[in-house]
Amino acid sequence: MTMRFERAFHGLECPFAWLDLDALDDNIATVQQACGLKKIRIATKSIRSLEVLRYLRRNLSNMVGFMTFTAAETIFLLEHQFDDLLLGYPVMEELAVRRLLQFVKEGKTVTFMVDKQEHVAFLEKLGAELDVRVPICIDINLSNDFKVLYFGTKRSSLHSLESLTPFLQYIKNQMHIEVVGAMGYEAQIAGVGNRPANAAKGRIIEVMQMQAKKQVTQFRRLAIAHIKAYFPYLYFVNGGGSGSMTYTAQQKEVTEISVGSAFYAPALFDQFTHLQLSKAAGFALRVTRKPEKNIVVCHGGGYTASGAIAEDRLPTFYEPENFSFLSLEGAGEVQTPVRIKSKAVNIGDKIYFRHAKAGELCERFLALHVIREDKYIGTYATYRGDGQCFL
């Protein structure tokens, strides 16, 4: 398989990031099939490239908009003619929010995420000053508290109907706030694979996810019905993620599914037994040393992913049957030793890797080098290549 890469990337200086359009097209088809009749909102944090976002916009037939991750990034996308932007997280940066509200006054669709009165009060104040109604999305917490284990993410404070009621009553009294959407993100299903390296852990995760789905389904439906009792004209109900597309597509109250990682298919998503994705993005390193017969050393490679520190935050090999990391060194800042299992590798060769998480790859490189079949297409700039760094 990497012979195709070698033909396409011959002569490129390492390290570089790559994007395989054939694999990306396969993943687009998989996403559309999994989401069924639901609309798709592209999660930009997993993409981080204007050109790739445009490619997805052109090729997704049921796309509705984008989910962004900071106010500054949202402004950047608006300035490049993107629209229908849902901020995936609450933002409290006054200058940036003022700029976003100017875009709202000009007719752009920008929706702010909230789950606390402080978020709403901040937006109400700026909306009053600028004489604009601020569109908001209410973020409910779908995590499961199994007492001995909290299964999900610590994000929204709205974890029950009892916590939701006073929040809705508070919003009802604000003059410059418009509730246009609601979101319930089932992170414990969408972002946790059921095939980790530890098989016993995988069985536990499967059992917990089955139980979580029952609770998520029930609470989200009740919560959305409760929100609609106060604000009956919701434009959208957002849910899901790359790891839960099929499940979320079956939820009647959900109108759109957020998807990002599935397009690049990073290494963490190898842990999902129900996802058949193609390896669409990664990076290449040059072999510069060979201290032993079955050990080579690549220059660079310390591109570990964020999150709880674990082995699955390391990059993986495009051909894992041929290579492995050294347990005492892993992926290094300036050099990465690699154990050769079953392939002849010499000084000067390239080894191809995949990042553990999707969007973080683009924070390391100025461009994605793009191929189709075995032909080199050119480069797509990343956010970093466009001079941007948002978080």
Side-chain angles (χ1 to χ4, degrees):
M1 188 64 176
T2 54
M3 288 302 298
R4 182 167 67 93
F5 285 12
E6 287 301 314
R7 288 191 292 269
F9 297 131
H10 178 74
L12 278 186
E13 299 284 292
C14 290
F16 64 84
W18 53 267
L19 175 66
D20 183 345
L21 290 183
D22 298 303
L24 179 59
D25 288 346
D26 288 344
N27 294 338
I28 289 172
T30 298
V31 168
Q32 291 195 143
Q33 182 177 15
C35 291
L37 298 177
K38 304 295 186 185
K39 297 292 185 180
I40 295 171
R41 186 174 293 275
I42 299 171
T44 62
K45 78 177 183 65
S46 299
I47 306 301
R48 305 196 199 199
S49 164
L50 291 177
E51 285 304 314
V52 180
L53 290 174
R54 293 184 182 117
Y55 186 92
L56 294 173
R57 183 171 61 184
R58 290 194 303 269
N59 289 282
L60 279 166
S61 59
N62 53 342
M63 198 208 84
V64 71
F66 302 87
M67 177 181 284
T68 61
F69 60 95
T70 74
E73 184 219 9
T74 309
I75 292 169
F76 177 66
L77 292 176
L78 288 163
E79 290 173 342
H80 285 83
Q81 287 70 59
F82 287 81
D83 202 357
D84 199 340
L85 306 175
L86 168 64
L87 283 105
Y89 309 86
V91 292
M92 301 292 289
E93 308 308 320
E94 185 170 332
L95 292 179
V97 172
R98 285 181 179 275
R99 181 73 181 103
L100 287 174
L101 292 180
Q102 290 294 339
F103 278 107
V104 173
K105 292 187 74 170
E106 294 166 10
K108 292 287 190 179
T109 301
V110 180
T111 305
F112 296 84
M113 194 68 66
V114 299
D115 70 85
K116 293 286 284 186
Q117 290 187 12
E118 290 89 339
H119 303 149
V120 179
F122 172 69
L123 295 171
E124 168 69 21
K125 172 179 176 292
L126 296 182
E129 288 181 14
L130 297 172
D131 190 28
V132 59
R133 283 178 64 80
V134 183
I136 66 168
C137 175
I138 297 171
D139 185 6
I140 59 174
N141 190 336
L142 297 183
S143 299
N144 303 106
D145 190 350
F146 294 129
K147 305 307 178 185
V148 295
L149 177 68
Y150 184 87
F151 194 38
T153 58
K154 298 284 188 180
R155 42 187 301 145
S156 170
S157 61
L158 303 173
H159 50 76
S160 66
L161 297 185
E162 290 73 21
S163 61
L164 192 55
T165 298
F167 185 63
L168 297 174
Q169 292 172 340
Y170 177 80
I171 296 173
K172 198 77 174 175
N173 293 323
Q174 309 307 310
M175 298 296 295
H176 296 86
I177 298 295
E178 181 182 8
V179 177
V180 299
M183 182 177 83
Y185 172 49
E186 57 271 32
Q188 68 276 41
I189 304 167
V192 180
N194 62 343
R195 187 173 55 190
N198 185 314
K201 180 180 178 182
R203 288 191 291 272
I204 293 171
I205 289 172
E206 285 186 335
V207 172
M208 292 176 64
Q209 285 182 333
M210 288 178 62
Q211 184 63 33
K213 285 179 181 179
K214 297 176 184 178
Q215 295 185 19
V216 166
T217 297
Q218 182 181 34
F219 177 59
R220 181 162 50 198
R221 288 179 182 172
L222 289 172
I224 297 305
H226 197 52
I227 293 170
K228 285 185 174 180
Y230 286 82
F231 306 100
Y233 303 111
L234 294 181
Y235 289 98
F236 65 87
V237 175
N238 181 281
S242 292
S244 66
M245 293 180 290
T246 303
Y247 160 75
T248 311
Q250 299 169 353
Q251 308 307 301
K252 294 179 179 179
E253 75 281 1
V254 173
T255 66
E256 61 177 49
I257 301 175
S258 291
V259 182
S261 296
F263 297 114
Y264 286 165
L268 277 174
F269 281 80
D270 294 347
Q271 298 181 17
F272 288 77
T273 57
H274 62 281
L275 270 180
Q276 301 299 319
L277 298 172
S278 299
K279 305 171 185 178
F283 60 93
L285 301 179
R286 184 81 67 190
V287 173
T288 56
R289 287 175 165 168
K290 193 168 185 178
E292 299 175 23
K293 180 181 179 180
N294 294 322
I295 302 290
V296 296
V297 179
C298 295
H299 198 181
Y303 309 137
T304 54
S306 62
I309 297 173
E311 186 177 349
D312 64 9
R313 302 294 142 163
L314 288 174
T316 61
F317 297 93
Y318 188 88
E319 299 176 312
E321 68 278 9
N322 291 330
F323 308 106
S324 64
F325 290 111
L326 274 60
S327 60
L328 295 180
E329 298 200 47
E333 177 188 6
V334 290
Q335 70 166 41
T336 298
V338 175
R339 177 171 284 105
I340 309 301
K341 295 180 181 178
S342 59
K343 185 176 181 178
V345 179
N346 298 305
I347 290 175
D349 290 346
K350 301 184 190 77
I351 295 181
Y352 294 89
F353 298 78
R354 297 160 61 220
H355 200 277
K357 296 181 74 173
E360 294 178 16
L361 171 72
C362 290
E363 295 295 344
R364 297 287 190 168
F365 296 92
L366 302 180
L368 296 164
H369 289 267
V370 183
I371 64 166
R372 186 177 292 287
E373 296 178 348
D374 61 352
K375 300 294 191 298
Y376 181 72
I377 303 299
T379 60
Y380 289 171
T382 63
Y383 281 0
R384 181 176 175 181
D386 283 324
Q388 305 299 318
C389 180
F390 299 115
L391 278 179

